[in-house]
Amino acid sequence: MVSRFLQSKWWHLFAAFYMVAIIAYIIFFAVTQRILMIGFLVSTLFMLGIELWIFMKKK
């Protein structure tokens, strides 16, 4: 069952939601702790774009 989920298009949507949560985490730390994680933000946005592109392509 797990392998079937990993091969489905919903896996990419789940990963995209996870990356949105990471972006919220980065914003939270930037506001509260004054820690700006530019590299982590750029890589997360890049992967979010790839996951959404794959999700839209499989649809």
Side-chain angles (χ1 to χ4, degrees):
M1 182 173 162
V2 173
S3 65
R4 199 169 86 199
F5 175 71
L6 290 176
Q7 293 173 355
S8 71
K9 68 177 183 176
W10 297 108
W11 167 253
H12 298 287
L13 187 62
F14 174 75
F17 283 138
Y18 180 73
M19 288 178 207
V20 168
I22 291 174
I23 292 170
Y25 167 81
I26 293 170
I27 291 170
F28 172 77
F29 268 88
V31 171
T32 61
Q33 302 295 323
R34 303 285 188 230
I35 299 172
L36 191 56
M37 300 178 271
I38 295 292
F40 192 39
L41 179 64
V42 168
S43 64
T44 304
L45 289 172
F46 179 73
M47 286 305 297
L48 178 62
I50 289 174
E51 289 293 336
L52 289 175
W53 178 68
I54 291 171
F55 177 75
M56 297 303 282
K57 191 171 82 169
K58 281 194 173 187
K59 196 171 187 180

